[in-house]
Amino acid sequence: MSVIAVERIKLFSTRSPWWCMIVAAVLTLGLAALASGFSQGPVTIGLTQGGAQLSQMVMMVMAALAVTTEYRFGTIRTSFQAVPQRATLLLGKTAVVAALSAVVGLVASFGAWGIGNIFADGANLSIDTAAEWRLLAGQGLVFALSAVIAVAVGILIRQSAGAIAILILWPLLVENLFNLIPKVGDDMSRWSPFQNAGSFLNQGQDFGVNGPQADAQYAMGPWLALLYFAGWAAVLITIALVSASRRDA
C-alpha cells in the first residue's frame, strides 16, 4: 500500500479532520449568508468570501494536528519504522492534508458564492472577470499551501498547543502588528507570507464597502504573490523535513 494511501486512512480514522471540515464549511457559508442577507451596500463576490480566512485557519489547525497528534501519542515512531525514509512519509502526509484542504477551500468558496446568490436577492454575482475567478478558484491553492506551512510548523514544534498558537497568531495578529514598527513596518507587512496570499486573492476585487481594493498597497502582482507564498511553504517544509530526518522521533 502506498504512503499516500496509508496517510489518507490514518487521517480519516480520527475525528479532527471531520470536525475541522464541518467547522470550516459552517464558518464560510454562515458568514456568507450573514454578509449577503444583512449588507447595507451592494453585495459582491468579494463580500461572500469574508469567512474564507477563518476557514483557512481551521484547516491549518487540522493539518498541524495530523502531525502533532502522532508525536503526542508516539505513533510517529511506528510510522518511521514502517517507512524508514522519513521525508517520504512526511511528504505523503503533507500531500494528503494539502489535497484535502484544497478541496475544502474550493467547496467553501463556491458554496459561499452560491449562498450569496440565494440570500442577496437581485444582486449581480455573475463571475465576469479573471480577478473574480481568481478569488473563487484561488482559495483552493491558498488553502493547500497554508496546509503545507501548517504541517511544517507541526513537524518543527511537535506540540499541538504551540503549533496551533503559532498558526493562528502569525497570520491574524503578528503580520498585522508589523505596521506598528516605525520606518520598516509597512515593508515587513507587505512582504509577509499570508499578506501575499491575501494579495493573490484580493487584487482587483470589490468588497462592497470602500469599493475596489487599492492594488498599490501590494508588493507584487497576484501571481507573483502566489509564487512568493508557495516559496515560503517550500522553504518551511524543506527545513521541517531536514529537521525530522536528523532529530530523534
Side-chain angles (χ1 to χ4, degrees), residues 82-108:
V83 183
Q85 297 81 13
R86 295 184 178 186
T88 300
L89 174 71
L90 294 172
L91 282 174
K93 186 184 294 293
T94 303
V96 170
V97 296
L100 176 60
S101 297
V103 171
V104 171
L106 287 173
V107 171

Side-chain angles (χ1 to χ4, degrees), residues 4 13 16 39 44 61-62 96 100 115 120 127 132 147 168 178 209:
I4 290 180
S13 65
S16 60
S39 175
T44 64
V61 169
M62 182 276 297
V96 170
L100 176 60
I115 289 290
I127 310 172
E132 291 169 345
I168 292 177
F178 285 154
V209 179

Side-chain angles (χ1 to χ4, degrees), residues 3-82:
V3 171
I4 290 180
V6 170
E7 290 301 325
R8 175 178 55 80
I9 293 171
K10 285 164 60 178
L11 180 66
F12 286 104
S13 65
T14 61
R15 296 180 181 179
S16 60
W18 298 102
W19 279 111
C20 287
M21 286 189 288
I22 292 171
V23 171
V26 169
L27 282 173
T28 304
L29 301 181
L31 290 176
L34 290 173
S36 302
F38 294 97
S39 175
Q40 300 299 315
V43 177
T44 64
I45 292 176
L47 191 65
T48 67
Q49 302 296 303
Q53 186 181 23
L54 295 178
S55 298
Q56 177 187 345
M57 297 299 103
V58 172
M59 296 309 296
M60 288 173 67
V61 169
M62 182 276 297
L65 288 175
V67 178
T68 58
T69 51
E70 286 214 59
Y71 278 104
R72 176 185 177 189
F73 293 107
T75 56
I76 194 70
R77 298 188 183 92
T78 304
S79 297
F80 285 156
Q81 289 174 355

